[in-house]
Amino acid sequence: MEEDLEYFLRSREVPHEDIMHMQQDKVDKAVLSVMTVGQMAQYISTYGDRVAVQSFCQQTKYSTDKETLLQNLRDKIEAWKVRSCNITIPQSKTKGVLCGSSGVFHKQAEKTCRKIEIGWLHLSSNEYRQVRTRNGGGTRHATVEKTTTVAKILEMGKVLFFPDGNSPKGRVEDFVIDVCDFKRNPIPLDDTVGKLYEQTKLKLVRFYICTKDETPSTVQSSSEEDFSVSIIEEDSLVTLI
C-alpha cells in the first residue's frame, strides 16, 4: 500500500484493522481504482469513507498522468534544443566543426558550443560590399564548438557561398579569400571561436568571408554592385565578421 493512501485512510479515521486487512491483501490505489464502492465494503465499512477513497485514487491518478505529460513535453523541448545545434552543410567538408554527432549529444556538450554568423564581403571599386542573399550571399547562422578555428570557419564559408566551387561571382579559385572582422581586418586562422568570444565579450560573433579578384577586373558601375556594408556595433549583436 502506498504511503499517501495509508495516510489518507488514517486521516479519515479508518480502523487500523481495516488498513492492515488491505495491506495483507495487497489492496493499493491501482486495485481500489477498479473496484466498485460495493466491492470496497469488505475492506472499508463506512460508505462515506469508500466514496472518499475512490475519489482520492482518481485524483492521484490524474496527478500522475499530468506529471507524465509534462515530462514528455520537457523531453521534446530538450530534443528540439539538441537539433537546433546543427546546420545543414556537407559533413565531408566540415567534419569536426558542428556540435553533436548525428544530432545527438549530452547536455555537457552543449556548453562547449557557441552560435556564430557568417557573411560574405566582396571587394569591388576599392570597397568591400556585402553580397546579398539573392546573389548567393546573405547572413548564415551556425552553432559550432568553441574549439573551432578560423581556418575551419573559412572552409565552412567556401562551402556555403561557393557550393560545388562556384558562385554567381565566379569560381572559388578565382579569388583571394580571407576571414575578417567587422573592421575588415583579417583574423589569424589559428584563432578559435572561444578565444574570439573571450576577446570581444560580444553576445554573438560574426565572421566575414572577404573575397577579392585574383586578377583585377574591369570596375563595375555602382548599379551592378550590392549595397555597401554599414559597420554598426550593437550591444545585442556581435559583429565579428
Side-chain angles (χ1 to χ4, degrees):
M1 177 184 295
E2 298 86 350
E3 290 184 3
D4 59 338
L5 174 59
E6 182 178 352
Y7 178 82
F8 180 77
L9 292 171
R10 295 189 185 281
S11 69
R12 296 284 303 183
E13 298 184 354
V14 173
H16 177 71
E17 306 80 52
D18 291 346
I19 296 175
M20 293 300 297
H21 185 197
M22 294 174 66
Q23 290 178 337
Q24 290 173 358
D25 287 358
K26 297 182 179 181
V27 177
D28 54 16
K29 287 190 290 186
V31 175
L32 289 170
S33 63
V34 296
M35 278 186 173
T36 65
V37 174
Q39 290 173 332
M40 291 184 192
Q42 59 180 309
Y43 297 103
I44 304 173
S45 57
T46 305
Y47 178 79
D49 290 338
R50 295 198 295 270
V51 174
V53 167
Q54 188 179 57
S55 176
F56 173 79
C57 292
Q58 292 174 347
Q59 289 176 3
T60 54
K61 182 179 185 300
Y62 171 78
S63 297
T64 301
D65 292 344
K66 182 178 180 181
E67 181 60 33
T68 300
L69 289 174
L70 288 173
Q71 186 58 48
N72 290 338
L73 180 59
R74 295 189 194 103
D75 292 341
K76 289 180 179 179
I77 293 174
E78 189 63 32
W80 177 83
K81 289 181 179 179
V82 170
R83 289 194 298 272
S84 70
C85 192
N86 293 277
I87 61 174
T88 304
I89 294 180
Q91 293 296 320
S92 60
K93 298 186 179 181
T94 58
K95 185 177 181 180
V97 176
L98 301 181
C99 292
S101 175
S102 301
V104 179
F105 55 89
H106 299 292
K107 289 183 178 180
Q108 186 62 32
E110 290 184 57
K111 298 179 182 179
T112 68
C113 301
R114 296 304 300 260
K115 292 182 179 180
I116 63 170
E117 290 184 342
I118 305 176
W120 179 11
L121 300 179
H122 181 65
L123 183 66
S124 180
S125 302
N126 294 320
E127 182 179 9
Y128 275 105
R129 300 173 184 272
Q130 185 167 355
V131 182
R132 293 186 177 184
T133 303
R134 68 188 182 190
N135 293 326
T139 300
R140 311 301 176 89
H141 302 81
T143 302
V144 300
E145 294 179 355
K146 292 167 63 176
T147 56
T148 299
T149 62
V150 175
K152 290 183 179 179
I153 299 297
L154 175 59
E155 293 305 314
M156 291 173 64
K158 290 179 180 179
V159 172
L160 289 168
F161 301 123
F162 295 88
D164 298 322
N166 293 292
S167 76
K169 291 190 174 295
R171 299 175 301 172
V172 66
E173 57 265 24
D174 294 335
F175 302 100
V176 175
I177 306 177
D178 294 307
V179 180
C180 303
D181 60 19
F182 67 93
K183 295 181 180 179
R184 300 189 293 279
N185 294 323
I187 307 173
L189 295 179
D190 57 351
D191 277 3
T192 64
V193 171
K195 179 181 178 180
L196 293 170
Y197 264 102
E198 286 297 319
Q199 290 178 343
T200 62
K201 306 301 181 184
L202 293 170
K203 293 181 179 179
L204 179 63
V205 173
R206 179 181 295 176
F207 297 87
Y208 283 106
I209 304 301
C210 295
T211 60
K212 58 183 178 180
D213 294 331
E214 183 74 42
T215 302
S217 58
T218 304
V219 177
Q220 296 179 340
S221 65
S222 59
S223 63
E224 294 175 326
E225 293 296 338
D226 300 301
F227 64 89
S228 297
V229 179
S230 297
I231 305 303
I232 301 176
E233 289 188 75
E234 298 178 358
D235 292 340
S236 62
L237 175 65
V238 176
T239 330
L240 226 200
I241 42 194

